[in-house]
Every structure is written in structure tokens, then in C-alpha cells.
Amino acid sequence: MARPSAVPAEEKARMVLSILAGEVTVATAARRAKVSEQSVGNWKRQFLVAGRTGLSAGKSGPATREAQLEAEIADLTQALGEAHLAAQVWKKSAEGRSDPSRTSR
């Protein structure tokens, strides 16, 4: 199990952005943060992958989730309507059986 990072996410992002801007090298950033160069390289890779994922999702990400939720709402609304209708039928059926003024012919 990996131990938790001593460097906050905001600091990691600042370091990665400094590296990408060419302000510092990976080695310098690692030395300042007192971590290995491999750790800084991993942060850089994770940062770039997450950014790429965010850009590739574009506007379709939230819209896709929204469409999924709307479809689920439609399904649940239909199921609720069907359950309500079934309850009404049962209620009418029960009223007919318990009403002594109604006779079978």
C-alpha cells in the first residue's frame, strides 16, 4: 500500500506547471519538494493525462451524464405511473368486493 503524499495537490500542480513552462527542471522541482524525480515525473504524467481526458470529453461529458439522468427520470416516471395505475385498479377492485349494496347478477 502506498503511503499518502506529503505534498498537497495544489503544490504538485504548481510544480508541474512550472516544469511545463520551462521555469524549472524535474530535478530542481524534486529537490525543492524533497521527493524523487520519479515522483515528480509521475505527477507530470498524471497531470497531462487528466488534462487530455478533460479536453477530449469537451462538452459531451456533462451532456452525456445529463442525458443518462434524463433517461433514468423518464423510466422512473413511467414506473411510478404504472404503479399508480395498478394501485387504482386494486382500490376499485377492493371497493367492489366490500360494498354490500352491489350484488352479483
Side-chain angles (χ1 to χ4, degrees), residues 1 11 17 33 51 65-66 68 74 84-87 94 98:
M1 180 185 233
E11 182 62 26
L17 289 172
R65 178 69 177 140
E66 187 175 325
Q68 290 172 338
H84 177 73
L85 182 60
S98 65

Side-chain angles (χ1 to χ4, degrees), residues 68-80:
Q68 290 172 338
L69 292 172
E70 287 175 353
E72 186 177 350
I73 288 170
D75 290 344
L76 292 172
T77 302
Q78 180 178 353
L80 179 61

Side-chain angles (χ1 to χ4, degrees), residues 13-29 32:
R14 274 193 289 277
M15 278 195 290
V16 168
L17 289 172
S18 293
I19 293 166
L20 292 174
E23 298 170 353
V24 295
T25 65
V26 171
T28 303
R32 288 180 185 166

Side-chain angles (χ1 to χ4, degrees), residues 11-91:
E11 182 62 26
K12 291 177 186 178
R14 274 193 289 277
M15 278 195 290
V16 168
L17 289 172
S18 293
I19 293 166
L20 292 174
E23 298 170 353
V24 295
T25 65
V26 171
T28 303
R31 203 169 31 255
R32 288 180 185 166
K34 298 179 181 163
V35 297
S36 69
E37 289 182 36
Q38 182 179 0
S39 292
V40 175
N42 287 339
W43 299 341
K44 180 181 170 186
R45 181 187 44 78
Q46 292 167 354
F47 185 89
L48 293 174
V49 167
R52 190 176 306 116
T53 301
L55 290 174
S56 67
K59 301 235 181 232
S60 66
T64 301
R65 178 69 177 140
E66 187 175 325
Q68 290 172 338
L69 292 172
E70 287 175 353
E72 186 177 350
I73 288 170
D75 290 344
L76 292 172
T77 302
Q78 180 178 353
L80 179 61
E82 291 169 359
H84 177 73
L85 182 60
Q88 291 298 323
V89 169
W90 281 37
K91 183 178 176 183

